[in-house]
Amino acid sequence: MAQYFAPLDDVFQALADPTRRAVLSRLGTGPATVSELARPFDMALPSFMKHIRLLEKSGWVRTRKVGRVRTCTIDETSFAAVDGWLAAQRDLWEGRADRLENFVTATQTQEKRS
Amino acid sequence: MAQYFAPLDDVFQALADPTRRAVLSRLGTGPATVSELARPFDMALPSFMKHIRLLEKSGWVRTRKVGRVRTCTIDETSFAAVDGWLAAQRDLWEGRADRLENFVTATQTQEKRS
């Protein structure tokens, strides 16, 4: 089960742009060709292609060219990487909340005893 | 309840760096001074401060200076912004999965009738 994961730096860098986030939202509803994806944007095709290539390099999008048409599909492994990072942060915070609760409970027990 | 939300571009840009992600993980366990945060990194303090300022500007970290000591606290609104973005993507994908399921069910019902 060898899988390629793009480095987290690239995964997050890809999301730091409104055009790329909009492309991912569109691809969330299903595959699309580059021309379909480019249509809503007031942007020259070479500039738009830079965004697609960055999304591809960062592991968010897979592309496949058949004849002259390049079709893009979302790659959910990068989504899982972001989700995993968030879950790890949440665990840290919840651990901290638990430690605080234990401390408060222990202090209250000690106070009752004294 | 006026709240300041950093733009999503800045929120994600801040995460595209291993030092900044490590600082956020450390702050997840509780507040820390800049010197405490800097300790694990082989980096000059001015370079490290650039990361802290970027985390502050992007809404991830709040800092407070008392005398010569600057203390950092994590700001959970940016976490909520990332979480919100991910949830919106998930809704799109699940909507797509539901539409596919409805299509398959409708097709099977038609096949049984014919």
Side-chain angles (χ1 to χ4, degrees), chain A residues 37-49:
Chain A
L37 290 172
R39 208 164 293 150
F41 302 100
D42 187 17
M43 200 182 289
L45 196 64
S47 305
F48 186 75
M49 275 310 292

Side-chain angles (χ1 to χ4, degrees), chain A residues 3-108:
Chain A
Q3 260 190 315
Y4 168 74
F5 293 106
L8 266 185
D9 285 15
D10 296 346
V11 166
F12 283 121
Q13 182 65 57
L15 299 181
D17 178 276
T19 302
R20 293 194 293 266
R21 288 196 302 276
V23 166
L24 290 179
S25 296
R26 166 60 191 85
L27 289 178
T29 66
T33 66
V34 169
S35 336
E36 283 166 349
L37 290 172
R39 208 164 293 150
F41 302 100
D42 187 17
M43 200 182 289
L45 196 64
S47 305
F48 186 75
M49 275 310 292
K50 280 187 193 163
H51 288 300
I52 296 294
R53 284 202 199 97
L54 200 145
L55 284 169
E56 205 177 0
K57 185 180 149 275
S58 61
W60 277 104
V61 160
R62 273 167 291 166
T63 79
R64 194 163 159 258
K65 200 169 184 182
V66 177
R68 298 184 59 172
V69 179
R70 185 175 291 278
T71 303
C72 303
T73 320
I74 206 158
D75 185 340
E76 298 184 16
T77 52
S78 290
F79 179 86
V82 174
D83 222 17
W85 184 83
L86 275 184
Q89 301 308 305
R90 208 175 282 124
D91 286 350
L92 285 173
W93 299 356
E94 283 169 4
R96 170 182 157 195
D98 287 348
R99 282 193 300 279
L100 182 65
E101 199 183 312
N102 289 344
F103 172 76
V104 171
T105 312
T107 312
Q108 284 172 341

